[in-house]
Amino acid sequence: MINTLSALLSKAGISLTDQQKQQLVSYVGLLDKWNKAYNLTSVRDPQQMLVRHIMDSIVVAPYLKGNKFIDVGTGPGLPGIPLAIVCPEASFTLLDSLGKRVRFLRQVQHELKLDNIIPVQSRAEAFTDQPLFDGVISRAFASLQDMVSWCHHLPAPAQGRFYALKGVVPEDELAELPANLSVEKLVSLQVPELEGERHLVILKQK
């Protein structure tokens, strides 16, 4: 697994420490183990998890600005846990409304000794925190409209951004954005060995 991950990282031009690689592989191991009972992801093959969950998450890291993030609708911790491993200087609140997922996140936190993640069971619209977040991240969580509607109170007024991980460019969703939001950046992401397009939509408040 470490060798496979190292090869994928090399293709993506990403450099990590041995400890970070070990944590990512250990996370896949926990995800695979808990998935059998908790049905956390439809991806069953750990090798595929490396591509479709780990790499698909960490390619976003270079575009994140700030050091306080919230991953809304995190599910089993995606992309929040891989990002927390590769960005140890930043903190990630992992928000999900399902108790079984949050229990899994706490187990990961304990076993991988991740002190920069905060698992929280809550709906996005009911959660708040101070200071506000530099970035609100979502992956396969909702439409852009729902994301900004449910999470409008979470990003800090000036520097806060929305980071939406998408497949193809969501032209329809972009056309219907509220007037107080604009697209700061639309990034085409390159994920080694992953079929299909991947894009990162970065939104800022006007």
Side-chain angles (χ1 to χ4, degrees), residues 184-201:
E184 181 174 67
K185 208 172 201 179
L186 183 59
V187 183
S188 177
L189 299 168
Q190 304 304 315
V191 185
E193 297 185 25
L194 186 72
E195 290 181 17
E197 295 181 40
R198 283 292 185 274
H199 289 88
L200 173 65
V201 182

Side-chain angles (χ1 to χ4, degrees), residues 109-174:
Q109 181 182 32
H110 172 70
E111 294 207 22
L112 301 190
K113 298 178 172 57
L114 292 175
D115 57 9
N116 62 331
I117 65 168
I118 306 160
V120 176
Q121 184 179 350
S122 174
R123 298 179 65 83
E125 57 269 42
F127 179 75
T128 188
D129 194 23
Q130 291 295 333
L132 292 169
F133 295 92
D134 297 318
V136 178
I137 305 169
S138 83
R139 176 181 185 261
F141 166 58
S143 69
L144 292 176
Q145 283 74 13
D146 285 344
M147 180 189 182
V148 298
S149 168
W150 297 336
C151 306
H152 64 91
H153 59 294
L154 294 173
Q159 80 272 20
R161 297 288 184 270
F162 288 100
Y163 297 91
L165 283 70
K166 295 284 186 179
V168 296
V169 177
E171 301 286 3
D172 293 353
E173 295 176 22
L174 291 170

Side-chain angles (χ1 to χ4, degrees), residues 28 31-49 52-53:
V28 167
L31 191 53
D32 181 47
K33 177 179 159 188
W34 279 59
N35 204 32
K36 294 175 175 66
Y38 280 70
N39 200 24
L40 298 166
T41 168
S42 60
V43 182
R44 301 291 177 195
D45 175 15
Q47 297 282 348
Q48 276 298 303
M49 288 180 187
R52 293 170 62 183
H53 288 336

Side-chain angles (χ1 to χ4, degrees), residues 30 49 71 76 87 150 164:
L30 287 168
M49 288 180 187
D71 177 10
C87 307
W150 297 336

